[in-house]
Amino acid sequence: MRTSLKSHGCGELRAEHDGQEVTLAGWVHRRRDHGSLIFIDLRDHDGIAQVVFNPKEAEEAHRVASDVRNEYVIQVKGRVARRPPGTENRNMATGEIEVHAQSATLLSPSKTPPFYINEETEVDDLLRLHYRYLDLRRERMHRNIVFRHKVVQFIRNFLSERGFVEVETPILIKSTPEGARDYLVPSRVNPGRFYALPQSPQQLKQLLMVAGFERYFQIARCFRDEDLRADRQPEFTQLDIEMSFIDEEDMLKLMEDLHTAMVETLRPDLRLTKPFPRLAYAEAMRRFGSDKPDLRYGMELVDVSDLLAESEFSVFRDTLAAGGVVRGICVPGGAGLSRRQIDELTEFVKTVGGKGLVSIGLTGEGPVEKLTADDFHSPVHRYLRLEEVRAIAVRIGAGRGDLLIIVADQEGRASQALDGLRREMARRLNLIDEGFLAFCFITDFPLVEWNEAEERWDAVHHPFTSPKEEDVPLMDSDPGRVRARAYDLVCNGWEIAGGSIRIHRRDVQEKMFSLLRIAPAEAQERFGHMLEAFEYGAPPHGGIATGLDRTVMLLAGERDIREVIAFPKTKTAADPLFGAPSTVSEAQLKELHIALRPEASISKESS
RNA sequence: GGCCCCGUGGUGCAGCGGCCUAGCAUACCAGCUUGUCACGCUGGAGAUCGGGGGUUCGAAUCCCCUCGGGGUCGCCA
């Protein structure tokens, strides 16, 4: 980190520098004033070093150190020396040495920061974003951003070595009114017309395949005007990949190799499964109630519908009669949960889409087949027959001391509720191995799903996703059963990538449009450029896009992508640092040929 | 858009109808301090409790509205 103003980075000094004259420059991390001796922990990008100011050795430097406060920027010239025996600090990388200041220069003073830079404390999100440049100075954030760079660098190298070409695609593209809401950009040159910011480079990367690049990738910024979450930002970054002349195996192999190598290089302390397990969508839904299961723990979902068709408990019986399911999970050692904790779970399940739950705690000794009426405890005890409880316990694989959580609902909601419960219980019972990255592939997604509101089939992935060859005939007879050549990469319960083998045959593409009730004229209007391109020799191709923010978050051990994005937005898509979004002048609007609707003409104080 | 949580000196918390003349820690300011490393000691300054309205003899504490932040469902082809 040598520059004209400094000879070394603070963090790189070691015992081997003993006796060297150095010039450091950085921020005052902490200052300890002993009256005559002053210690300053000087911090720069790559670390912290202790500087000692002794008035008997350097009176002027000591005077500077006396006036300096936290976060002042100073330059120090001095000599590196081993610390006196007994005063070494093993907690610091540079703890064996210190710098004896000979001179010091104040480069820039600092106001007292609005929050601690030198301590790990919770700080209000709004404040952090307003002073993001100070937040990023904090060690953990600084480390996260540097780590993100390493991930990106690793990806670029990895793919480049395998013949991939990074191609940039436009940020101003055509709006395709489907899927997420577009961010629109008005055109000054073309009155009344708008560009959209890309939700992903999807169509462009397919065009690059038609263009014959065969192996494309891009670290691409994507934009979606939808509501935010801890894992969603209005602008986010994808690692976008597309390859020609491949099938699913090529793509999954590449992703597995990439992620394995990345973890082993950048986080060798974390463990992962090799090879990545693969689950068909139907199996994932059946066993985990989710297409992004967290495989770090068990508690798989088990169907007990057939055991309860004759149940005296009307919720079970009625749900089953209405075509629903009764499914459950076994919470190991959960029989000890208090009534209050069970009530909390009942409240919780409502927040994840469920209507309620039935808990059955198993107590006593011996095999569950010998369970007695006194050995199980449930709020609906009197509606449950002993033989039913025994059968459920056996089916779910529960033992004494475990808690059965049973949910009766239509299949979709039951899955959602149990998925939520499973995750919640794992958290509460500390069943999560934080040192493990449980990657898995989910394959064989349905091609289309029925849109109740619109009464039509919608593409699960997108309209260019290829159906499985053997399922093509089903597109006419039973579209819901058609499996797509689509795949997701999942890690620790997060979807981190999704992709598919694309349709490259005109007849199949037309069949797909017809199934989605996209009329030829509409297809021409929306995707004409793609359809035309495909008439000039389209290679079989497929691709994938990973959520880079989520990947970095997982590898960095964070729980929110905002912790790995330098300048993220709040939940209302606002940027408290710049004050975006803001109003603009009437002149700007006029130039863009835009008039605001009355309801949008808010007071102007915001800008 | 629905539901839930939060909003008290700079920061992080406590207080949840009168004992609050709003407490604690830390940061901040001043003085003392030659081996500290979350230095220490002494002293000092600093918030009317996001905003508005209401209930009450009395509100940081209860109610309503509103603003802001967060979580979640919807949404995210």
Side-chain angles (χ1 to χ4, degrees):
Chain A
M1 293 292 275
R2 185 193 181 90
T3 66
S4 300
L5 294 192
K6 60 203 278 189
S7 66
H8 293 76
C10 295
E12 55 179 307
L13 297 179
R14 294 291 182 275
E16 70 203 56
H17 296 94
D18 185 16
Q20 283 189 33
E21 301 285 327
V22 297
T23 305
L24 302 180
W27 289 261
V28 174
H29 187 66
R30 219 170 235 124
R31 179 173 156 278
R32 293 176 293 280
D33 184 348
H34 287 242
S36 46
L37 269 195
I38 294 175
F39 298 94
I40 285 180
D41 291 339
L42 193 65
R43 183 192 72 237
D44 64 14
H45 175 73
D46 62 10
I48 296 177
Q50 173 167 283
V51 183
V52 191
F53 296 83
N54 189 329
K56 289 184 179 157
E57 291 176 14
E59 194 184 343
E60 179 60 17
H62 182 268
R63 199 188 51 73
V64 172
S66 299
D67 293 340
V68 133
R69 292 294 180 269
N70 282 352
E71 301 310 314
Y72 278 39
V73 181
I74 60 173
Q75 183 189 44
V76 177
K77 289 189 173 122
R79 186 176 43 78
V80 178
R82 279 179 172 279
R83 294 194 187 185
T87 64
E88 301 89 350
N89 186 343
R90 293 180 195 287
N91 299 322
M92 287 177 80
T94 61
E96 272 193 274
I97 55 88
E98 60 194 3
V99 174
H100 291 264
Q102 290 152 359
S103 67
T105 311
L106 171 63
L107 299 177
S108 185
S110 170
K111 290 165 73 173
T112 301
F115 49 81
Y116 301 106
I117 310 296
N118 54 16
E119 269 181 50
E120 284 279 325
T121 47
E122 286 291 310
V123 180
D124 181 71
D125 280 302
L126 189 60
L127 198 63
R128 289 179 61 192
L129 293 184
H130 189 260
Y131 297 98
R132 190 59 162 182
Y133 44 88
L134 295 181
D135 192 33
L136 292 172
R137 256 188 216 169
R138 305 206 296 171
E139 202 240 329
R140 175 167 144 194
M141 288 304 294
H142 212 79
R143 182 172 9 102
N144 283 351
I145 299 302
V146 172
F147 181 73
R148 183 183 179 116
H149 159 72
K150 287 180 177 163
V151 170
V152 170
Q153 187 184 36
F154 184 91
I155 290 170
R156 285 210 159 95
N157 289 340
F158 183 95
L159 293 174
S160 301
E161 284 163 11
R162 282 159 184 77
F164 285 81
V165 176
E166 183 168 14
V167 183
E168 291 169 89
T169 53
I171 292 297
L172 298 175
I173 62 167
K174 179 185 165 78
S175 176
T176 55
E178 192 177 341
R181 296 182 182 89
D182 282 329
Y183 275 101
L184 295 177
V185 181
S187 170
R188 175 184 60 83
V189 184
N190 301 281
R193 291 173 193 264
F194 294 81
Y195 303 99
L197 304 184
Q199 297 177 20
S200 80
Q202 182 58 42
Q203 297 180 40
L204 292 153
K205 65 177 175 174
Q206 290 193 244
L207 292 177
L208 287 169
M209 293 303 103
V210 178
F213 285 97
E214 297 195 33
R215 288 175 174 229
Y216 143 91
F217 84 101
Q218 183 182 188
I219 309 290
R221 196 65 66 85
C222 305
F223 307 86
R224 293 178 190 174
D225 188 5
E226 295 291 348
D227 287 355
L228 278 58
R229 286 280 201 292
D231 62 338
R232 282 190 227 153
Q233 281 275 301
E235 53 179 308
F236 61 101
T237 306
Q238 287 186 345
L239 163 60
D240 197 44
I241 294 177
E242 196 79 6
M243 296 166 77
S244 293
F245 308 112
I246 61 161
D247 65 13
E248 291 88 331
E249 278 310 312
D250 297 293
M251 198 68 235
L252 299 192
K253 175 79 164 47
L254 177 76
M255 293 308 284
E256 183 165 326
D257 289 349
L258 168 64
H259 286 83
T260 303
M262 191 156 71
V263 171
E264 289 177 346
T265 305
L266 300 178
R267 285 302 305 268
D269 55 313
L270 296 179
R271 288 163 289 117
L272 44 69
T273 336
K274 289 191 284 188
F276 294 174
R278 296 187 189 185
L279 289 169
Y281 172 85
E283 185 186 356
M285 292 306 294
R286 181 167 51 76
R287 290 173 57 193
F288 302 99
S290 167
D291 61 0
K292 42 179 191 288
D294 192 335
L295 299 184
R296 287 176 295 178
Y297 44 85
M299 290 193 289
E300 294 191 18
L301 279 50
V302 177
D303 192 291
V304 292
S305 304
D306 58 303
L307 304 177
L308 292 162
E310 309 292 319
S311 172
E312 287 173 30
F313 189 44
S314 61
V315 173
F316 288 169
R317 211 177 48 235
D318 296 350
T319 301
L320 289 168
V325 297
V326 182
R327 301 205 284 174
I329 58 173
C330 168
V331 180
L337 290 187
S338 66
R339 179 59 194 259
R340 181 196 170 87
Q341 288 171 306
I342 301 284
D343 288 345
E344 279 174 15
L345 283 182
T346 307
E347 284 308 303
F348 171 82
V349 77
K350 288 173 186 167
T351 70
V352 292
K355 285 189 291 202
L357 60 81
V358 168
S359 64
I360 307 174
L362 306 180
T363 54
E365 301 286 329
V368 288
E369 290 85 346
K370 299 262 175 67
L371 215 60
T372 69
D374 291 335
D375 290 342
F376 74 92
H377 308 273
S378 173
V380 296
H381 191 282
R382 62 196 168 117
Y383 299 112
L384 299 173
R385 295 196 196 93
L386 178 57
E387 51 272 30
E388 283 171 353
V389 175
R390 284 178 177 166
I392 294 169
V394 170
R395 171 80 59 82
I396 300 188
R400 310 274 188 156
D402 293 344
L403 180 76
L404 301 172
I405 296 180
I406 313 292
V407 169
D409 213 323
Q410 295 303 306
E411 184 162 2
R413 266 208 305 268
S415 291
Q416 201 181 338
L418 283 165
D419 175 38
L421 282 165
R422 186 174 167 269
R423 290 170 195 262
E424 179 70 10
M425 292 317 297
R427 264 196 300 275
R428 291 196 188 189
L429 297 179
N430 246 337
L431 301 178
I432 299 171
D433 178 354
E434 299 289 351
F436 191 60
L437 291 172
F439 284 100
C440 66
F441 288 115
I442 309 296
T443 63
D444 298 354
F445 280 84
L447 183 69
V448 292
E449 64 189 344
W450 184 248
N451 182 328
E452 205 66 61
E454 307 276 334
E455 295 201 327
R456 59 144 200 256
W457 294 100
D458 280 347
V460 169
H461 191 47
H462 57 57
F464 308 107
T465 297
S466 176
K468 290 204 162 222
E469 189 63 38
E470 63 267 35
D471 288 357
V472 169
L474 287 173
M475 290 175 78
D476 300 314
S477 56
D478 193 354
R481 283 181 53 210
V482 179
R483 290 165 301 164
R485 297 180 70 182
Y487 34 77
D488 276 2
L489 176 61
V490 168
C491 182
N492 291 0
W494 302 80
E495 179 196 327
I496 63 173
S500 65
I501 301 299
R502 325 298 184 189
I503 299 171
H504 73 281
R505 274 170 44 193
R506 193 186 171 103
D507 61 324
V508 179
Q509 187 65 64
E510 281 171 359
K511 216 175 171 69
M512 184 68 176
F513 281 149
S514 146
L515 176 57
L516 298 176
R517 289 222 231 119
I518 298 174
E522 188 188 349
Q524 196 56 40
E525 156 63 21
R526 278 166 56 185
F527 309 118
H529 50 287
M530 297 247 329
L531 299 178
E532 187 178 42
F534 284 176
E535 295 190 30
Y536 289 94
H541 62 285
I544 199 164
T546 83
L548 186 75
D549 310 282
R550 287 183 192 174
T551 305
V552 175
M553 173 190 80
L554 277 168
L555 293 187
E558 293 288 356
R559 293 166 187 282
D560 190 321
I561 60 173
R562 282 173 293 203
E563 302 300 316
V564 297
I565 296 174
F567 298 100
K569 297 201 170 31
T570 65
K571 213 206 150 194
T572 48
D575 169 8
L577 175 49
F578 277 67
S582 64
T583 56
V584 296
S585 71
E586 188 54 38
Q588 283 174 288
L589 288 176
K590 192 173 177 189
E591 195 165 49
L592 294 168
H593 324 287
I594 288 178
L596 295 182
R597 288 172 166 275
E599 67 268 23
S601 300
I602 51 170
S603 59
K604 298 230 167 151
E605 49 76 37
S606 55
S607 55

